[in-house]
Amino acid sequence: HVQLVESGGGSVQPGGSLILSCTASGFTVSRACVAWFRQAPGKQREGVAALAATGSTTHAASIKGRFTISRDNAENTLYLQMNSLKPEDTATYYCAARVVVSGYCFSPRWDADDYNYWGQGTQVTVS
């Protein structure tokens, strides 16, 4: 049973930092394609950062240099370190995973349709 549980959201002032966590069960994070997406009210969902099993990452231009995606293989957990937060970063953040039988993710995936499991979301408010 695949499950993704996010935590770490909250309210922060501009310039502040937060770390989002996504604890995974039912699959191995270190073998899967995983990613963070976000959706602000009235806006479409957008990719924030993606991570492949190889360790290769990709980050959206709007957050590059401020946010970092990473994982802890021992904890089977995905993270998003967010620094220098801006009001425009306010959104609900979702972690996502592409889980396939005997699969190994060679490169990060940016298309939300590639992901078949999603967390419940965690709210980040910057004001």
Side-chain angles (χ1 to χ4, degrees), residues 44-63:
Q44 288 191 334
R45 180 175 52 190
E46 63 174 348
V48 176
L51 172 63
T54 56
S56 177
T57 63
T58 185
H59 294 77
S62 61
I63 57 87

Side-chain angles (χ1 to χ4, degrees), residues 14-124:
S17 298
L18 285 174
I19 300 176
L20 303 185
S21 301
C22 175
T23 301
S25 57
F27 73 101
T28 303
V29 168
S30 63
R31 294 186 58 83
C33 289
V34 288
W36 289 96
F37 290 80
R38 68 184 181 185
Q39 187 166 19
K43 295 187 177 181
Q44 288 191 334
R45 180 175 52 190
E46 63 174 348
V48 176
L51 172 63
T54 56
S56 177
T57 63
T58 185
H59 294 77
S62 61
I63 57 87
K64 194 169 289 186
R66 299 189 296 122
F67 293 9
T68 303
I69 189 171
S70 65
R71 67 182 181 227
D72 184 322
N73 293 345
E75 297 294 327
N76 210 38
T77 298
L78 179 69
Y79 298 98
L80 185 67
Q81 172 72 53
M82 304 187 295
N83 299 326
S84 302
L85 282 159
K86 303 176 181 180
E88 52 263 43
D89 295 319
T90 295
T92 300
Y93 285 71
Y94 300 89
C95 64
R98 174 180 171 86
V99 181
V100 295
V101 176
S102 301
Y104 184 86
C105 179
F106 289 94
S107 60
R109 292 177 177 264
W110 205 238
D111 189 341
D113 290 339
D114 287 339
Y115 293 90
N116 52 356
Y117 290 96
W118 293 80
Q120 81 285 359
T122 186
Q123 178 67 35
V124 172

